[in-house]
Amino acid sequence: MTCSIFFSTELPNDRPQVSGALPRAPQRWTMEWCVKTPDGRTHINNSRTIQRATVAEVNAIMATTINGIKAEIGDLATFISGRLTSHGGTRKNRKGGKRR
């Protein structure tokens, strides 16, 4: 099961778009963010969580990261977006073995 959470400064009401089902158990997450500045430059970066984290913990980590980027740039960013992606694990106790 894959879950993707996308948020941007251009989305209405500052609500993220969620595709897939939110995981109930802590998962490893991939975080990507994109920042555009007034001079037309685009800064893209990504990272991966080492420890498994819940959705609330990952949202807090991403918010802290985005606020740090805003403070570093000096609130000059014209566009900021971020994507959190989690891929569920494999189910081990499946009847009939692996499907091919």
Side-chain angles (χ1 to χ4, degrees):
M1 164 180 17
T2 299
C3 175
S4 182
I5 304 170
F6 176 76
F7 56 93
S8 169
T9 55
E10 295 180 349
L11 288 175
N13 302 329
D14 294 331
R15 299 180 86 189
Q17 293 179 342
V18 179
S19 62
L22 293 174
R24 291 184 295 246
Q27 298 285 328
R28 290 193 180 153
W29 294 84
T30 301
M31 300 178 284
E32 303 169 356
W33 55 91
C34 173
V35 179
K36 293 183 182 177
T37 55
D39 59 355
R41 295 185 351 189
T42 302
H43 305 278
I44 299 173
N45 203 342
N46 60 16
S47 66
R48 197 170 177 89
T49 58
I50 298 172
Q51 299 288 331
R52 295 179 186 270
T54 62
V55 175
E57 292 170 342
V58 169
N59 283 335
I61 292 169
M62 193 65 164
T64 304
T65 303
I66 294 295
N67 290 336
I69 291 170
K70 282 183 183 178
E72 183 179 323
I73 293 176
D75 289 331
L76 292 176
T78 58
F79 174 80
I80 298 175
S81 69
R83 180 178 305 274
L84 299 167
T85 307
S86 172
H87 300 286
T90 59
R91 293 179 62 189
K92 307 243 182 212
N93 298 325
R94 194 182 279 178
K95 285 187 176 180
K98 281 188 173 181
R99 295 182 188 166
R100 293 184 188 183

